Amino acid sequence: MSTRKYLSGYEKLKKKKKRQREELIESQKGAMDKFITSKKQNLAENLSEGFINEQEIHQKELEDNENIQQNDNNEGGHDNGQTCNVTILDNEAQNNLEERENITDQPNYIPTNIFDPSQWKTIDIKLRDLLVENGPIRVDDLNFPIDKNSRHFSTTHYIRKLPNGEKHDRKWLVYSKDLDKVFCFCCKLFNSKSNTNQLANGGTKDWKNISSILKNHETTNEHITNMNTWIDLELRLLKNKTIDRNVQEQIKKEKDHWKKVLLRIIAVVKNLGKNNLAFRGKNEKIYQENNRNFLSIIEMIAEFDPVMQEHVQRIQHGAIHNHYLGHNIQNEVIQLLANEIKSKIIKKIKEAKYFSIILDCTPDVSHQEQMTLILRCVDISISPIKIDEHFVQFLKVDNTSGKGLFNEIINAIKNLELNINDVRGQGYDNGSNMKGKKQGVQKRILDINSKAFYTPCGCHNLNLVLCDMANSCPKAISFFFVVQRIYTLFSSSTKRWKILQDNVTGLTLKPLSQTRWESQIESVKAIKFQILEIRDALLQLAKTSEDPKAKSEADCLATYEIESFEFLLAMTIWYDILFAVNSVSKKNSSKEIATKMEIEPIFREKRIIRRKK
């Protein structure tokens, strides 16, 4: 049986943990002095030194782990196939290590707003310095939710009124939008375990007694001590005179680098989104084929930009793992940009107060019904003021009845923090579930807000009128079917299209449009003014074509359709109808252009000269 010449992995870990406990005990000697001293400035300095000691201990733990791994590799491997790549800590050490982890480093935790007190689950040195450096973020422009007692938070609590009439700003008071509670900024960051005040721990929403709670809190010794610590740390961070100044400079340099990288990534996302281009391909690795537009643009930027070039080099050399070029960060940036744009739109609508809603439903590519929500308001932020329409979002609809669509609209307006009573107009298509006078969406909204006048979409009305006219007459159905057959026959082959071009040198044949009936005048116009040339092209195709089906089709269209007086009469009638409709549509478009140019949309009247006879 062989004698072991070196310590096993378990023995090394046991020895290392013993050494760590001894070092921790040694470093904490005299730590109680900083809690019983009467000088508040020394208290802040001792707290800062305690934070640095935690960093040094954590750094030493990492160095010890690396030394153990290196010694194991030099001695020929691990005992019994056990690996020492992951350090095994006892429960106390593991809990201490977890408390020092920054909550923003957790992979499954993405805070929506790190400046909201509800996100401060674990406060470490990095997060504390970041919050102190940026200061408390105050929530002002918000409709605060009302509790069951019809009370809510008010911005008046941000100001403290003294008996002599002076007003002091409660800079330390922070409102949490997620929890609907208020916190003390400094007591939350520099809170001691002995402090049981609600403002320093879980927050409070006792709006009935909030004035007395704030007044009592700001006079406590704990609050005054934490305020001094906060101000002292803020000044030292501002002057860059903290104990870990070199570390702070390195952190600031790295922070600036990542800001520049994210700025370029956001610019790429904006460009691709603006041009409606695909982001990803089959491959999501840089400098590989089929990685598509996003990574290709990053590669191009890296050729000229030193910041992105350094970032790409870090990725290639394995210096960083989180490179922010994957699909998750792309989706997150897109969502952040969308939220920011939506907030700007909502802010503009709130300034205007009154708005109208426009809705339309259509199935998407996944065969799910989705409703488009468009808000229309008067933009008073510019001069001269103008009317703007903004697409806000798609709403997934499971129930397409009037009641189901109504509930979706009400929930969407509520989520956007808008008031349904401020709606002054509704615009939908002519579906019964939308325009119904008894159970339609417009009737249900009118029951809540009688000033939300309903106006059916003019384009839908015009389209439905023409569609009903065409479908109500069998002769009209036959006429448009012949027009479509002529186009389909020539467009199905390049040889047939060449025959058409040899005979018809003017207007080109066009297919019928199923969405805009007014545009069908272009299809009828090409046949009406070139009927003779088209007939010659059909006859030539019937003689020269080698396809029996095409030969028969061309002969039938030329002989029995185009040479029919009934077809010619229908062609003339429908051209006049569509021409009149198209003229009205063009007149409306011209009015819109004239309005933008601030020109009165009227024709100039020619003065009639009357001479005496």
Side-chain angles (χ1 to χ4, degrees), residues 496 499 540-552 554:
R496 301 175 195 173
I499 294 175
Q540 182 180 347
L541 178 60
K543 294 179 181 178
T544 60
S545 178
E546 299 178 357
D547 185 4
K549 183 179 179 180
K551 182 188 290 291
S552 175

Side-chain angles (χ1 to χ4, degrees), residues 309-326:
Q309 187 176 16
E310 180 184 355
H311 183 65
V312 171
Q313 288 177 355
R314 290 186 182 184
I315 299 173
Q316 293 178 323
H317 297 159
I320 57 175
H321 178 68
N322 297 323
H323 46 72
Y324 295 102
L325 298 181

Side-chain angles (χ1 to χ4, degrees), residues 85-280:
N85 292 333
V86 180
T87 304
I88 303 174
L89 302 176
D90 56 7
N91 293 334
E92 183 179 359
Q94 183 68 26
N95 292 333
N96 293 335
L97 182 61
E98 290 178 356
E99 289 179 359
R100 288 194 295 266
E101 291 291 334
N102 191 350
I103 61 173
T104 57
D105 294 335
Q106 298 178 8
N108 296 327
Y109 182 79
I110 302 177
T112 55
N113 181 12
I114 63 172
F115 298 103
D116 192 298
S118 63
Q119 308 293 339
W120 304 346
K121 306 298 182 183
T122 304
I123 301 176
D124 67 346
I125 304 172
K126 294 180 181 178
L127 180 59
R128 184 183 289 112
D129 290 348
L130 176 64
L131 294 175
V132 171
E133 186 176 358
N134 289 274
I137 304 301
R138 179 165 291 178
V139 179
D140 292 322
D141 53 345
L142 178 67
N143 294 328
F144 297 102
I146 301 175
D147 60 8
K148 60 181 180 181
N149 297 322
S150 300
R151 297 178 180 272
H152 62 84
F153 177 73
S154 175
T155 56
T156 57
H157 296 299
Y158 287 137
I159 305 299
R160 177 190 179 187
K161 296 182 180 179
L162 300 180
N164 60 359
E166 293 183 3
K167 295 182 179 180
H168 288 180
D169 186 11
R170 287 185 175 126
K171 186 180 178 183
W172 50 269
L173 186 61
V174 182
Y175 175 81
S176 173
K177 183 179 178 181
D178 295 341
L179 298 179
D180 186 27
K181 293 182 178 181
V182 289
F183 294 81
C184 177
F185 180 79
C186 56
C187 293
K188 183 71 174 177
L189 294 183
F190 305 98
N191 184 26
S192 61
K193 294 183 179 179
S194 60
N195 191 354
T196 59
N197 193 291
Q198 289 182 338
L199 293 174
N201 294 287
T204 182
K205 56 185 304 183
D206 186 4
W207 310 130
K208 181 179 179 180
N209 304 310
I210 187 64
S211 298
S212 60
I213 292 175
L214 297 178
K215 184 177 180 180
N216 295 332
H217 175 78
E218 60 192 355
T219 58
T220 60
N221 293 331
E222 292 86 354
H223 175 76
I224 296 174
T225 302
N226 292 331
M227 279 288 293
N228 292 332
T229 306
W230 170 27
I231 296 172
D232 182 64
L233 180 58
E234 185 178 21
L235 292 175
R236 286 189 286 117
L237 287 174
L238 184 63
K239 297 179 180 179
N240 198 18
K241 291 184 178 181
T242 55
I243 299 175
D244 56 344
R245 180 175 58 186
N246 295 331
V247 177
Q248 292 292 337
E249 291 178 353
Q250 186 177 0
I251 292 174
K252 185 178 183 302
K253 182 179 179 181
E254 189 69 12
K255 187 191 299 183
D256 293 339
H257 168 76
W258 281 105
K259 283 183 178 179
K260 294 177 181 178
V261 171
L262 288 176
L263 184 63
R264 286 152 177 79
I265 292 176
I266 293 173
V268 175
V269 172
K270 287 171 57 179
N271 183 62
L272 293 177
K274 182 179 179 180
N275 293 281
N276 198 22
L277 298 175
F279 279 68
R280 301 180 292 274

Side-chain angles (χ1 to χ4, degrees), residues 64 133 200 221 393 482 493 511 559 571:
D64 291 340
E133 186 176 358
N221 293 331
Q393 65 184 108
V482 171
S493 171
T559 306
M571 177 182 64

Side-chain angles (χ1 to χ4, degrees), residues 27-88:
S27 64
Q28 295 297 323
K29 286 184 179 180
M32 289 298 296
D33 295 339
K34 60 189 177 184
F35 293 100
I36 61 176
T37 181
S38 60
K39 295 182 178 180
K40 299 173 182 178
Q41 183 175 1
N42 294 336
L43 176 61
E45 294 178 356
N46 290 332
L47 286 174
S48 301
E49 292 175 358
F51 299 153
I52 303 304
N53 289 335
E54 288 184 359
Q55 282 190 338
E56 293 175 354
I57 295 171
H58 182 55
Q59 183 65 25
K60 191 166 184 60
E61 290 176 357
L62 298 178
E63 294 177 354
D64 291 340
N65 294 338
E66 295 177 356
N67 294 334
I68 291 176
Q69 295 176 8
Q70 185 175 3
N71 293 335
D72 290 340
N73 294 332
N74 295 335
E75 292 175 357
H78 310 292
D79 186 34
N80 297 330
Q82 296 179 352
T83 62
C84 295
N85 292 333
V86 180
T87 304
I88 303 174

Side-chain angles (χ1 to χ4, degrees), residues 259-380:
K259 283 183 178 179
K260 294 177 181 178
V261 171
L262 288 176
L263 184 63
R264 286 152 177 79
I265 292 176
I266 293 173
V268 175
V269 172
K270 287 171 57 179
N271 183 62
L272 293 177
K274 182 179 179 180
N275 293 281
N276 198 22
L277 298 175
F279 279 68
R280 301 180 292 274
K282 298 180 180 178
N283 195 337
E284 290 191 43
K285 294 183 179 180
I286 198 165
Y287 292 113
Q288 292 190 9
E289 296 182 356
N290 299 323
N291 56 10
R292 294 301 292 270
N293 297 323
F294 181 81
L295 291 180
S296 298
I297 296 178
I298 295 295
E299 295 171 4
M300 181 193 67
I301 295 176
E303 294 181 4
F304 308 98
D305 184 62
V307 175
M308 191 57 69
Q309 187 176 16
E310 180 184 355
H311 183 65
V312 171
Q313 288 177 355
R314 290 186 182 184
I315 299 173
Q316 293 178 323
H317 297 159
I320 57 175
H321 178 68
N322 297 323
H323 46 72
Y324 295 102
L325 298 181
H327 61 275
N328 289 330
I329 190 65
Q330 297 172 26
N331 295 335
E332 186 175 352
V333 171
I334 292 172
Q335 189 62 45
L336 290 173
L337 292 174
N339 293 338
E340 185 66 20
I341 294 173
K342 185 185 294 185
S343 65
K344 296 291 185 183
I345 295 174
I346 300 303
K347 182 179 179 181
K348 183 188 298 184
I349 294 174
K350 287 183 177 180
E351 291 177 354
K353 186 174 176 60
Y354 302 112
F355 62 96
S356 300
I357 56 176
I358 302 174
L359 303 174
D360 191 20
C361 294
T362 182
D364 57 10
V365 293
S366 60
H367 307 289
Q368 294 182 346
E369 192 75 13
Q370 65 178 6
M371 182 164 59
T372 305
L373 175 61
I374 298 175
L375 299 182
R376 182 183 177 97
C377 69
V378 178
D379 188 1
I380 61 175

